[in-house]
Amino acid sequence: MRAAGGTLLFVTTISAAPLTAQTASPYVPLHHWAMPYVEYLISAGVMADPTPLTRPLKQADVVLALEGVDTIHLGGPTKATIRRLLREFRPRVRGPRYRVELGAGLAAASYTVRDPLELGRGVPTRQAVRRGFASGSGQVLLAFGPFVGVTHPTVDTRLQYDPDWTATGDNATRWEEGYLSGQWRHGEVSFGLLDRNWGPSGIQGVLLSDNPYSLDHLYLSLGTERVQIAAIATQLDSRTDPTGATVSRYMIYHRLWIRPRGRWTIALWEAAVLSGVGRQLEPWYLNVATVSALRQGSTGTNANSFVGFDLERRAGTTLFGQFMLDDIQVSRKTASDLKPTSYAFTAGAKGRLRSRAAAWTMFYTQVANLTYRNEDNLQVPLFHFLGTGRNFDDYDQITATASWLPRFGLLLRPEVTVLRQGEGDPRLPHPLVPAYPTTATLLQGVVERTVRLAVNADWQYRGLSVTAGGGAHLIHNAGHVTGASDTRWVGSVGLTYRLAWENLLP
């Protein structure tokens, strides 16, 4: 990451002098207790989405959007929710400040993974395990002028039983956030730990999401509130090749985000995974003014390239979608040309139900069998065997959810999902050329089908948060065994209490 570090120093040096000082804003983490309420208000058309197709949101942007809400025709629970969110995100003091927040929680669940739809899927297969958990966290925020820093260590005993968590030392401790950010009117540069999601809100991005645990990265953004160009550079975990040599691996993202006046938001993006014994991150991959996928030939380097776009049309019924192309063979002249196409896409809509008291979301997503895999099995978008976007491939899914506030503080979210999972997986090796004719583009082998019927609930009272969810998974061809059936009851409940102090920096 020598090139990435040099870029951070260079951008900070040239940007700090000419830009007017201002107070930077921390981000609202994707797992923050307030985000289900914020997404509900956006889906219902109550508040504007500050940055469509981009998460996390900045606290200052959320405050501006909430302050712009017309509350005249809103019900009592919605008005009270807006006031509660403003109390949470408005700074309590003006000027350079610090904030300290402590939290403790207890939880119990019939599974140890983050998403119950992971159960029975993947390599290795995620198993259902009933456990009780305890957690404790501490967060420190420093904000002064155009700079903000956040550190948020957490001890969570659930991590010890999560197959996606690979730490072998103190395996119950992780940093949920830990970043430094410099923010100016027309640019931002940051480095550290912060979960990001590029794509429609509430749905994991196909190549950048909060799926990987603790992925340090350099982030650069330049532009206006209508047009922005952004780049992310990160080092993936190193691996060994068949000779036992250590292979260095890196990943780069470029994105052009456009939000013209009107209803549309569009993002065009590309990404590349680089790998090699002793390989360093070549500087031209950091150049956001070029397309790295087209420069590989002229620079004599190689990478696994991805291209895609996200879009959203805001209205009473908001339409959204995303598409990614990994690999496609146009010619069909040789045996290697028979490789199945690798792609992923999502199409969906969201809006309000009759009034602004309830919102709905519906989407369909599909990820091909060989998406995220590559002929070079080390040049793949996996971080400690977790996808940087989705954690699975070879599946399609349709989901419908609703959300409403029956009373202040209580948010209910019923869900219906139908998921079809083939036998492909990102962690499997790429098939050899002779196997291409028998390799399915989508839904390889015996297809397992899961119907999920569930309800999730969030309840907030001052510093107390209660989350709960439960439902049934009706499974056909369970374990990819033809004709096998299973019914899995899943549920979780958690309680967290938070205390916070905020004041001026000395």
Side-chain angles (χ1 to χ4, degrees):
M1 292 291 284
R2 293 177 183 173
T7 301
L8 175 61
L9 177 62
F10 174 73
V11 172
T12 304
T13 301
I14 65 171
S15 300
L19 292 172
T20 303
Q22 61 185 48
T23 301
S25 174
Y27 285 92
V28 182
L30 295 176
H31 58 81
H32 195 282
W33 68 262
M35 281 308 298
Y37 299 88
V38 171
E39 297 292 3
Y40 155 74
L41 293 173
I42 292 173
S43 296
V46 174
M47 65 176 281
D49 190 336
T51 53
L53 306 175
T54 308
R55 295 294 186 268
L57 304 172
K58 290 180 181 176
Q59 286 189 14
D61 293 337
V62 174
V63 170
L64 286 175
L66 290 169
E67 290 175 340
V69 172
D70 181 1
T71 60
I72 294 178
H73 302 292
L74 298 180
T78 305
K79 291 180 181 179
T81 298
I82 292 173
R83 291 193 297 267
R84 176 66 181 88
L85 293 175
L86 285 172
R87 286 197 304 271
E88 174 70 17
F89 294 130
R90 275 178 177 154
R92 300 176 186 177
V93 295
R94 290 185 173 273
R97 62 189 175 101
Y98 71 88
R99 177 183 170 91
V100 177
E101 181 174 306
L102 301 177
L106 296 173
S110 62
Y111 51 89
T112 59
V113 292
R114 290 170 289 179
D115 181 358
L117 279 173
E118 289 195 29
L119 294 175
R121 302 169 68 190
V123 177
T125 302
R126 276 70 174 161
Q127 301 295 330
V129 180
R130 292 183 175 87
R131 290 277 183 181
F133 316 110
S135 63
S137 66
Q139 178 177 301
V140 178
L141 160 72
L142 300 177
F144 47 95
F147 300 102
V148 62
V150 174
T151 183
H152 187 185
T154 298
V155 177
D156 187 351
T157 60
R158 183 193 65 82
L159 294 172
Q160 301 173 85
Y161 309 102
D162 186 347
D164 291 338
W165 178 247
T166 58
T168 57
D170 185 3
N171 63 352
T173 301
R174 67 178 288 249
W175 255 257
E176 297 192 21
E177 293 89 41
Y179 63 90
L180 297 174
S181 176
Q183 302 171 12
W184 300 272
R185 182 178 179 183
H186 296 301
E188 176 183 353
V189 59
S190 64
F191 181 78
L193 298 170
L194 179 66
D195 290 341
R196 297 184 185 273
N197 194 84
W198 282 359
S201 61
I203 302 167
Q204 283 189 325
V206 291
L207 202 60
L208 179 64
S209 77
D210 61 343
N211 183 57
Y213 278 115
S214 303
L215 183 61
D216 290 276
H217 61 275
L218 170 70
Y219 173 77
L220 170 68
S221 176
L222 300 171
T224 69
E225 63 178 9
R226 298 290 178 181
V227 179
Q228 292 181 8
I229 189 166
I232 290 176
T234 187
Q235 183 169 6
L236 304 176
D237 57 306
S238 297
R239 301 188 185 177
T240 56
D241 65 12
T243 69
T246 300
V247 177
S248 301
R249 305 168 61 243
Y250 306 91
M251 193 162 185
I252 303 294
Y253 303 82
H254 294 163
R255 186 173 78 151
L256 174 63
W257 181 87
I258 305 172
R259 188 183 187 184
R261 297 188 184 279
R263 299 182 181 274
W264 287 92
T265 304
I266 302 171
L268 307 175
W269 53 266
E270 64 159 352
V273 177
L274 301 69
S275 68
V277 177
R279 186 169 185 176
Q280 296 294 319
L281 180 59
E282 291 90 357
W284 47 81
Y285 283 104
L286 296 172
N287 188 348
V288 295
T290 64
V291 179
S292 60
L294 301 179
R295 295 196 64 194
Q296 290 176 179
S298 61
T299 58
T301 58
N302 70 87
N304 181 15
S305 298
F306 306 81
V307 294
F309 66 83
D310 309 312
L311 55 84
E312 179 178 294
R313 184 185 184 275
R314 184 75 176 172
T317 297
T318 295
L319 305 178
F320 57 81
Q322 59 184 169
F323 177 79
M324 179 186 75
L325 181 63
D326 179 4
D327 198 0
I328 185 171
Q329 305 297 318
V330 178
S331 175
R332 293 289 175 176
K333 296 180 180 180
T334 66
S336 61
D337 294 337
L338 299 179
K339 176 181 176 179
T341 302
S342 304
Y343 64 87
F345 73 87
T346 301
K350 59 185 178 181
R352 60 177 178 264
L353 292 169
R354 295 187 179 181
S355 69
R356 293 187 177 183
W360 61 271
T361 299
M362 179 179 291
F363 68 89
Y364 174 79
T365 189
Q366 185 179 114
V367 183
N369 182 17
L370 298 186
T371 305
Y372 310 129
R373 288 192 265 177
N374 187 262
E375 292 85 350
D376 182 343
N377 290 305
L378 299 179
Q379 218 163 64
V380 292
L382 299 180
F383 179 66
H384 293 290
F385 298 97
L386 287 177
T388 61
R390 305 285 178 86
N391 207 22
F392 305 98
D393 60 19
D394 195 25
Y395 76 95
D396 69 350
Q397 172 184 338
I398 184 168
T399 293
T401 64
S403 55
W404 74 92
L405 285 166
R407 56 175 298 177
F408 169 58
L410 177 61
L411 180 65
L412 298 179
R413 293 174 290 142
E415 173 194 343
V416 178
T417 290
V418 179
L419 169 71
R420 297 189 301 170
Q421 175 67 63
E423 295 187 42
D425 188 83
R427 288 153 283 266
L428 293 174
H430 193 277
L432 300 177
V433 172
Y436 285 176
T438 58
T439 301
T441 301
L442 179 70
L443 301 178
Q444 178 79 31
V446 178
V447 179
E448 180 182 270
R449 186 186 70 228
T450 300
V451 178
R452 170 174 165 82
L453 306 173
V455 176
N456 298 298
D458 296 90
W459 180 71
Q460 306 293 326
Y461 179 75
R462 298 183 178 178
L464 179 66
S465 299
V466 179
T467 60
H473 291 185
L474 311 177
I475 307 170
H476 177 66
N477 291 342
H480 301 285
V481 177
T482 302
S485 297
D486 190 17
T487 299
R488 180 179 294 130
W489 299 96
V490 297
S492 66
V493 61
L495 182 150
T496 304
Y497 188 74
R498 305 174 306 276
L499 293 171
W501 300 265
E502 186 171 336
N503 213 329
L504 292 171
L505 281 171

